[in-house]
Amino acid sequence: MNTHSLSRRKFLQVSASSSVLLAVGCTPGSTGKPINLSSEGMTGASINQFITIATDGAVTLLNHRPEMGQGVFQSIPMILAEELAVDVEEVEIKQSEADPERYGRQMVVGSHSIQNEFHKMRMMGAAAKEMLIQTAADRWQVAAAECYAEKGRVIHNSSSRSANYGELVEDASKRTAPTEPALKSPADFEIIGQSIPRRDIPLKTNGAAIYGIDVDVPGMLYASVERSPVFVGTIKEYNREEVMKMPGVRHVLKTERDLFGRREGIAVLADTYWAAFQGRKALKVEWDTKGMESQSSETIASRYMTQADDEGTELFSRGDADGALSAGDGVIEAAYVTPYQAHVPMEPMNAIVSVTSEGAEFWGSTQNPNGTRSYLAKILDIPEKRVKINYTLMGGGFGRRSRTDVAEEAARLSQAVGAPVKVIWTREDDQTQGPFRACSLNLLKGKVTGGQVEALEHKVITQEIRNQTGDKMEAGRQIMGGVNTHYSIPNLSVRGVLQKHYIPISYWRAVYHSTNPFAHESFIDELAVAAGKDPLDLRLELLQDHPRFRRVLEEVRVLTDWDRQKVAGKGRGLAIAERSGAHFAMVVDVSRKAGKVKIDRITTVLDLGICVNPDTVRAQTEGSVIMGLTAALYGLTIENGAIKEQNFHTYPLLRYGQCPEIETFILPSSADPDGAGESGLPTVAPALTNALFDLTGNRIRKLPLSLEALV
């Protein structure tokens, strides 16, 4: 784990010392059919993920996806080891280098890693195993069907003869890989589905793990960048000469980065980070804020409300919602508001880039190694093959590290000064400079007739990540993420009204699933009250044709004793969602004692297909729940055109003593895996506010909420 990239030179050294090895990979972007690779082929650019087996029997499994705490460093090798028939605890796991031609897509966003790699990893492991079995069978002059593989050995059934993989690898490496290797039945899995301790955890607890912020490069300068508190601010003048006289300061330069528009800054470069930061503190900058200092959370909210009657763009429709809602009685309406949110990973943003006449090299923590490589090649106007990406462990990402703006800052500064440059953001930079999760206004109308939900209209008014600049004002389907169209409401409409602001937004854990379900699932509860039905019963009624949602609902009903008699001073709320294919139901239990409201327990039931490592999934769900609960209780506000909350004292994360008991139940399944990295987060806010309604009788339609203010 201490080796964070496998260079071609190092790979050749390993190959030479092991004499010969067997490598099986997949062509990038393929369906996972293996191709045979010689040792020479491994240094080429035509392979994807691979397994190496040395003549001494040592097995190395590569993980090609960045590790930011989600567990892919171990989970992807677990899939390989399952089909290869080796003990994952006995093999070496290494992080691959960044190379899209060799490894295909390496970006980690949207909980897609296991989803996208599961079949390919199984095919690779199974193909390598078949090649080893056939080699042993030929050597023993028996049928391959009479042999099997187990714990890194091939065994002949009747004679009990066996051979270590290392004894077979030389001849096996000369074979052509099978294109359709037999895969194990999920019922026979021995590794997949086990809670195997992750190897990266000890390194993270004893200080041995290397994050981007830990990396040093010889000859590098440190950079701290002053930026306009109002995002579109441009530099009018500043005291460059004065700052240049400070100890250790080498350069004071204007710089910029691309974050949905050019963002100007002044970089102080010095021999140490302390000197760079002290120089930055001494800057006196006059900013042209373009008049945006008049903006605030209140003006933005008012602007959103002025568009409440806009039709917007139709994103989904069934039946005639407009007609049903305009006729007769029984129509109810509600507006739900969510604030901007910061990503606040524990490791602040950072990047090292060295630009020379030979090319460029990056060191740092990134969710997007391939994208960083492409972007640096583009802005430096050099071929991608001349950009090397060295990526490390990440101290959190949550979507923020999918962007390339910090790498751009470092690259432009390195190019300007002719030395490697390490840019480090402060916590205040991280919280106030963005990009952020978008704020939103959700407007809902529903109609209940004779106890039946007849119609529902859900209008989302928000910014769109992929449409922040330019004149196009049509909203895309992305902004309806988390709106559950599976409810069998005969007349259903989802519309989007696009907002464009100077405030940059980007992907945040669960993206629009972190905002829209708060409105949608809260309103389903409002419809249940109007229909005189239990909220869980109504959902089951509206999901007759959706077995996965019904499964998690029925299970959470049993696990939480949902139907028990109501107890005074206690409340409970329910919400369901689907994110990245995973379906989940959540129940939040709350109580009030001596006038204080407390969140007692959060229970989540997951149906996410085959679960590779249950302990990792539970940890992911717990993290999602805590992040979702933090977002329900705290948020960012705009004041004088800038973010008001500068650090954790005004924008706190949930503390240990505030966390309720969290229970996660994973339902058994033989279906292919769904994404687990965001499971739980979308349901926290609606399940909590539904529980608070059950407790207090008051609806909460605006976040963040204050438990202390509830009576």
Side-chain angles (χ1 to χ4, degrees), residues 401-679:
R401 285 191 157 91
S402 65
R403 306 253 66 103
T404 57
D405 57 302
V406 185
E408 180 192 3
E409 281 185 323
R412 292 192 182 281
L413 292 170
S414 174
Q415 188 177 42
V417 303
V421 172
K422 182 175 187 175
V423 173
I424 300 177
W425 283 35
T426 65
R427 178 59 59 197
E428 288 80 5
D429 292 336
D430 188 65
Q431 285 195 197
T432 63
Q433 289 297 314
F436 308 98
R437 186 197 74 177
C439 66
S440 68
L441 171 64
N442 285 250
L443 302 174
L444 291 99
K445 293 181 182 180
K447 184 176 182 180
V448 175
T449 305
Q452 302 299 312
V453 180
E454 184 181 340
L456 172 62
E457 178 188 85
H458 187 149
K459 184 184 293 183
V460 183
I461 303 177
T462 190
Q463 294 170 260
E464 185 177 358
I465 296 168
R466 298 173 185 168
N467 187 7
Q468 297 185 57
T469 59
D471 298 327
K472 183 182 176 184
M473 291 305 296
E474 183 177 347
R477 283 181 60 87
Q478 181 185 31
I479 70 169
M480 67 172 281
V483 176
N484 193 341
T485 58
H486 295 291
Y487 286 124
S488 59
I489 300 170
N491 303 290
L492 178 62
S493 172
V494 184
R495 309 193 72 85
V497 178
L498 182 64
Q499 288 284 327
K500 290 195 177 184
H501 291 315
Y502 68 103
I503 300 173
I505 64 165
S506 189
Y507 303 101
W508 191 90
R509 196 171 191 174
V511 200
Y512 294 98
H513 284 68
S514 71
T515 53
N516 294 336
F518 164 56
H520 201 75
E521 283 296 293
S522 296
F523 198 67
I524 291 295
D525 263 44
E526 297 203 39
L527 295 175
V529 171
K533 295 180 179 179
D534 176 87
L536 196 152
D537 287 338
L538 178 64
R539 286 173 172 83
L540 286 173
E541 180 184 312
L542 296 175
L543 293 164
Q544 292 289 339
D545 299 324
H546 203 290
R548 294 188 70 184
F549 271 131
R550 291 185 63 85
R551 187 184 186 208
V552 293
L553 279 166
E554 289 164 351
E555 191 70 18
V556 83
R557 162 171 259 159
V558 174
L559 290 170
T560 62
D561 193 16
W562 176 266
D563 296 314
R564 71 175 183 260
Q565 187 173 359
K566 184 171 175 58
V567 178
K570 293 184 179 294
R572 54 182 18 196
L574 170 74
I576 63 172
E578 173 275 326
R579 171 64 181 167
S580 300
H583 292 69
F584 42 98
M586 177 179 289
V587 169
V588 173
D589 287 277
V590 297
S591 63
R592 180 168 51 194
K593 187 175 181 180
K596 292 185 178 181
V597 174
K598 179 174 178 286
I599 304 169
D600 297 318
R601 182 179 296 102
I602 298 180
T603 305
T604 310
V605 174
L606 303 172
D607 178 359
L608 43 72
I610 292 170
C611 179
V612 176
N613 189 325
D615 186 62
T616 295
V617 169
R618 290 190 187 95
Q620 284 278 67
T621 305
E622 290 164 3
S624 291
V625 168
I626 291 170
M627 192 166 180
L629 189 53
T630 300
L633 299 176
Y634 308 107
L636 295 175
T637 52
I638 311 299
E639 189 175 272
N640 299 321
I643 298 296
K644 178 181 178 181
E645 293 77 15
Q646 299 285 307
N647 207 314
F648 290 140
H649 66 292
T650 50
Y651 184 69
L653 300 183
L654 206 68
R655 294 173 182 255
Y656 184 83
Q658 296 174 286
C659 289
E661 181 180 347
I662 301 173
E663 294 185 299
T664 303
F665 297 91
I666 304 167
L667 299 182
S669 176
S670 59
D672 283 350
D674 297 307
E678 295 146 306
S679 299

Side-chain angles (χ1 to χ4, degrees), residues 264-452:
E264 288 190 2
I266 303 167
V268 179
L269 287 78
D271 296 325
T272 65
Y273 177 69
W274 176 256
F277 185 59
Q278 293 305 305
R280 174 184 171 184
K281 286 167 59 177
L283 283 168
K284 298 173 184 176
V285 188
E286 184 180 354
W287 298 98
D288 179 357
T289 58
K290 314 297 182 184
M292 292 301 173
E293 66 274 10
S294 64
Q295 295 295 304
S296 66
S297 292
E298 289 73 22
T299 61
I300 291 171
S302 177
R303 176 179 169 183
Y304 276 42
M305 285 303 300
T306 62
Q307 294 191 275
D309 294 329
D310 288 6
E311 286 192 5
T313 305
E314 185 175 80
L315 305 175
F316 178 90
S317 68
R318 179 170 61 234
D320 181 10
D322 285 344
L325 291 167
S326 62
D329 299 324
V331 175
I332 61 174
E333 300 184 37
Y336 292 86
V337 177
T338 57
Y340 286 106
Q341 296 285 357
H343 294 82
V344 291
M346 285 296 99
E347 177 193 10
M349 300 304 295
N350 63 87
I352 302 173
V353 177
S354 176
V355 179
T356 67
S357 59
E358 301 297 318
E361 190 164 4
F362 164 92
W363 295 263
S365 46
T366 175
Q367 293 177 241
N368 190 8
N370 300 162
T372 301
R373 182 180 188 231
S374 298
Y375 188 71
L376 291 181
K378 178 182 177 181
I379 66 168
L380 297 171
D381 194 24
I382 59 176
E384 284 195 29
K385 64 182 179 181
R386 288 174 54 193
V387 179
K388 183 177 181 181
I389 302 297
N390 306 285
Y391 60 98
T392 66
L393 290 171
M394 285 176 272
F398 314 121
R400 176 61 182 95
R401 285 191 157 91
S402 65
R403 306 253 66 103
T404 57
D405 57 302
V406 185
E408 180 192 3
E409 281 185 323
R412 292 192 182 281
L413 292 170
S414 174
Q415 188 177 42
V417 303
V421 172
K422 182 175 187 175
V423 173
I424 300 177
W425 283 35
T426 65
R427 178 59 59 197
E428 288 80 5
D429 292 336
D430 188 65
Q431 285 195 197
T432 63
Q433 289 297 314
F436 308 98
R437 186 197 74 177
C439 66
S440 68
L441 171 64
N442 285 250
L443 302 174
L444 291 99
K445 293 181 182 180
K447 184 176 182 180
V448 175
T449 305
Q452 302 299 312

Side-chain angles (χ1 to χ4, degrees), residues 35-349:
I35 57 174
N36 192 61
L37 305 167
S38 67
S39 57
E40 292 81 13
M42 267 181 254
T43 63
S46 62
I47 68 173
N48 190 4
Q49 309 91 337
F50 54 86
I51 300 162
T52 65
I53 304 171
T55 52
D56 63 1
V59 178
T60 300
L61 305 180
L62 252 62
N63 167 52
H64 68 295
R65 296 271 185 158
E67 173 61 60
M68 59 179 172
Q70 80 277 41
V72 291
F73 180 78
Q74 179 125 330
S75 295
I76 285 178
M78 283 175 66
I79 302 167
L80 289 165
E82 182 69 73
E83 295 291 351
L84 185 61
V86 295
D87 187 342
V88 73
E89 297 183 4
E90 298 296 325
V91 304
E92 183 176 10
I93 301 174
K94 288 187 176 182
Q95 190 72 49
S96 78
E97 62 182 331
D99 188 338
E101 293 180 338
R102 181 181 295 183
Y103 303 111
R105 180 180 169 87
Q106 293 179 266
M107 190 175 185
V108 284
V109 290
S111 305
H112 291 154
S113 294
I114 298 300
Q115 277 184 303
N116 292 349
E117 306 300 342
F118 186 70
H119 182 68
K120 287 188 276 189
M121 294 300 101
R122 293 184 67 193
M123 292 283 281
M124 288 165 55
K129 179 177 67 179
E130 284 194 12
M131 295 163 71
L132 291 158
I133 289 175
Q134 188 62 60
T135 299
D138 290 351
R139 185 173 296 180
W140 298 328
Q141 297 185 340
V142 299
E146 298 177 17
C147 304
Y148 66 96
E150 182 179 78
K151 294 189 180 299
R153 302 188 71 84
V154 177
I155 302 167
H156 182 228
N157 269 314
S158 58
S159 69
S160 296
R161 282 178 291 182
S162 70
N164 181 282
Y165 282 178
E167 301 172 53
L168 304 168
V169 66
E170 184 170 1
D171 290 337
S173 66
K174 300 171 185 176
R175 293 183 173 276
T176 299
T179 57
E180 297 290 344
L183 300 177
K184 296 175 70 172
S185 166
D188 297 326
F189 286 162
E190 298 175 302
I191 297 172
I192 293 173
Q194 300 301 310
S195 291
I196 298 174
R198 287 168 46 183
R199 295 191 199 178
D200 56 321
I201 300 300
L203 302 177
K204 292 174 178 178
T205 56
N206 66 20
I210 303 297
Y211 297 90
I213 205 165
D214 297 320
V215 177
D216 292 325
V217 173
M220 75 181 188
L221 297 175
Y222 291 85
S224 187
V225 183
E226 181 72 6
R227 305 170 183 87
S228 171
V230 177
F231 309 98
V232 294
T234 55
I235 301 163
K236 294 176 72 173
E237 61 178 84
Y238 66 103
N239 57 331
R240 178 183 179 279
E241 290 73 17
E242 182 181 345
V243 176
M244 279 293 296
K245 297 174 183 177
M246 296 183 67
V249 172
R250 296 292 190 89
H251 306 275
V252 180
L253 304 170
K254 287 186 179 181
T255 187
E256 61 178 22
R257 62 191 173 109
D258 183 9
L259 192 63
F260 309 108
R262 305 309 299 175
R263 312 288 175 175
E264 288 190 2
I266 303 167
V268 179
L269 287 78
D271 296 325
T272 65
Y273 177 69
W274 176 256
F277 185 59
Q278 293 305 305
R280 174 184 171 184
K281 286 167 59 177
L283 283 168
K284 298 173 184 176
V285 188
E286 184 180 354
W287 298 98
D288 179 357
T289 58
K290 314 297 182 184
M292 292 301 173
E293 66 274 10
S294 64
Q295 295 295 304
S296 66
S297 292
E298 289 73 22
T299 61
I300 291 171
S302 177
R303 176 179 169 183
Y304 276 42
M305 285 303 300
T306 62
Q307 294 191 275
D309 294 329
D310 288 6
E311 286 192 5
T313 305
E314 185 175 80
L315 305 175
F316 178 90
S317 68
R318 179 170 61 234
D320 181 10
D322 285 344
L325 291 167
S326 62
D329 299 324
V331 175
I332 61 174
E333 300 184 37
Y336 292 86
V337 177
T338 57
Y340 286 106
Q341 296 285 357
H343 294 82
V344 291
M346 285 296 99
E347 177 193 10
M349 300 304 295

